[in-house]
């Protein structure tokens, strides 16, 4: 475990990653940090933010800056939310329980992965341990969902999440097969034997073990997770499955993994309640667009009919401001949460969220914005696009 005095030296989200890389074992570190193939999209997720120029406005009273907003109608203290990341107990023994407690303390939204190493019920219990001030909004919790070949198991997970107080389903739609993640293949990634996919009692669904002999494995050097996905996740995923999830769920349904105007329009026509612009953290299709580059295209297609969110590459308060200026309702952090978890559990996640939110407040003040509603398209200039 990282020493407390090291945490006190953190001044950026990148600092958490550097410290985490010193403490995590190779199996977990490579799983968390790697992307698909040459990891071009992974790197572009961050670099694309750097190419966007902020256009500040001056001589405005910014003595009081308010970062509060809403996501699907639920109030949150900031548009910085927590993305679903799998197997968090590889980063810290408290895993997803630490993350949800941090989210509740900071009054923000957390999305729990289907591949959590803590069950939906135990995550809900952990959230209930945090007392909030009277009148404070209840931090929303969403469940990220994969559709399994075992449709009944998928249905049961939706129902359990609803019963545990989760308020939306974020359906991942970009993973009919797992992207080719070279680090995991070299390591023959597997979930440590003392951990399971805790949302599933069936051992075939709960365990991720390295296997070179599985008939469904695409190659002998496939990672354990690739084998798991090939055997368990439904590759026939289509818009009919979105309609099925909407019929089963009593709560709003978002689709996660949209990168084009065409699919954004189809999502709206399918009646989804929100869209998350995501390329799975650069872990699926390499050379796909960076999410910030795809965001405005999606928002223009949606035309305000549903809320649009973004994940991927957000590391600075200015990144948050840029995403909101281009139409995102809020952004979701993935890897920074894992790095903070590995550095110091719940307290480090709180510290990381405090840090980026302070950066956001400063960015808002220096661009003349006193509320999230003030942030608009005029605050950014996109890089010139090359002519074809």
């Amino acid at each position: 475990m990282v020493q407390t005095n090291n945490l006190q030296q953190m001044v950026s989200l990148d600092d958490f990653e550097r410290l985490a890389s010193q403490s995590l074992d190779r199996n977990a570190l490579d799983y968390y940090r790697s992307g698909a193939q040459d990891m071009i999209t992974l790197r572009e997720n961050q670099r694309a933010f750097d190419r966007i120029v902020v256009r500040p406005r001056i001589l405005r009273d910014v003595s009081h800056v308010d970062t509060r907003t809403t996501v699907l109608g639920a109030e949150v203290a900031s548009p910085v939310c927590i993305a679903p990341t799998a197997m968090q107990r590889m980063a810290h023994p408290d895993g997803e329980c630490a993350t949800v407690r941090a989210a509740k303390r900071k009054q923000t939204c957390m999305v729990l992965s289907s591949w959590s190493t803590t069950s939906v019920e135990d995550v809900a219990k952990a959230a209930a341990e945090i007392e909030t001030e009277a009148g404070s909004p209840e931090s929303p919790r969403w469940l990220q969902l994969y559709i399994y070949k075992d449709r009944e198991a998928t249905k049961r997970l939706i129902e359990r999440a609803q019963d545990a107080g989760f308020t939306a389903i974020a359906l991942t739609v970009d993973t009919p097969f797992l992207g080719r993640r070279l680090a995991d293949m070299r390591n023959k990634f597997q979930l440590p034997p003392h951990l399971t996919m805790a949302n599933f009692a069936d051992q075939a669904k709960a365990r991720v073990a390295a296997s070179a002999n599985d008939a469904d494995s695409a190659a002998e050097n496939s990672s354990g997770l690739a084998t798991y996905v090939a055997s368990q996740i439904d590759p026939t995923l289509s818009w009919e499955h979105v309609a099925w999830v909407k019929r089963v769920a009593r709560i709003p349904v978002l689709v996660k993994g949209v990168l084009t105007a065409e699919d954004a329009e189809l999502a709206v026509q399918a009646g989804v309640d929100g869209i998350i612009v995501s390329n799975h953290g650069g872990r699926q299709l390499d050379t796909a667009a960076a999410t910030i580059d795809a965001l405005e295209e999606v928002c223009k297609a949606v035309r305000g009919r549903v809320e649009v969110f973004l994940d991927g590459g957000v590391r600075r308060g200015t990144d948050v401001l840029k995403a909101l200026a281009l139409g995102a309702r809020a952004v979701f952090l993935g890897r920074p949460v894992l790095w903070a978890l590995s550095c110091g559990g719940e307290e480090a996640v709180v510290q990381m969220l405090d840090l980026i939110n302070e950066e956001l407040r400063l960015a808002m003040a220096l661009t003349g914005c006193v509320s999230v509603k003030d942030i608009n398209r005029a605050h950014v200039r996109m890089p010139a696009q090359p002519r074809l």
Side-chain angles (χ1 to χ4, degrees), residues 286-347:
D286 201 19
T287 71
T291 51
I292 193 64
D293 284 342
L295 175 61
E296 190 167 33
E297 174 184 330
V298 170
C299 289
K300 285 180 177 179
V302 168
R303 302 194 306 278
R305 289 173 288 175
V306 298
E307 292 182 4
V308 177
F309 306 91
L310 173 140
D311 71 21
V314 176
R315 297 296 184 273
R316 290 286 188 185
T318 48
D319 296 342
V320 182
L321 184 141
K322 291 171 184 178
L324 269 56
L326 291 171
R329 185 75 183 184
V331 302
F332 288 83
L333 298 181
R335 288 183 178 91
V337 175
L338 296 170
W339 308 142
L341 261 182
S342 69
C343 289
E346 176 185 339
E347 292 301 325

Side-chain angles (χ1 to χ4, degrees), residues 96-97 100 104 112 118-130 138 141 160-161 163-166:
E96 294 84 2
C97 289
V100 77
K104 188 169 182 181
L112 181 71
T118 310
S119 70
V120 291
E121 292 84 3
D122 286 343
V123 168
K125 290 176 184 176
E129 296 170 3
I130 301 298
E138 181 68 25
R141 293 189 305 277
R160 287 169 52 206
D163 292 344
F166 286 72

Side-chain angles (χ1 to χ4, degrees), residues 65 318 321 356-368:
V65 174
T318 48
L321 184 141
I356 193 169
N357 278 308
E358 183 55 37
E359 288 188 0
L360 172 61
R361 280 188 287 272
L362 180 60
M364 289 172 63
L366 295 179
T367 49

Side-chain angles (χ1 to χ4, degrees), residues 114-115 148-154 156 196-208 228 232:
S114 284
W115 294 345
Y148 278 68
K149 293 175 182 177
D150 183 345
R151 200 60 52 80
E152 188 59 33
T154 308
R156 284 196 301 271
T196 64
M197 304 280 210
N199 283 318
F200 303 100
D202 177 358
Q203 288 299 298
K205 296 181 181 65
R207 300 238 172 239
V208 179
Y228 178 90
Q232 298 294 336

Side-chain angles (χ1 to χ4, degrees), residues 68 131 167 175-176 211 233 292 327 335:
R68 289 177 298 174
E131 295 184 5
T167 57
T175 314
S211 172
I233 302 303
I292 193 64
R335 288 183 178 91

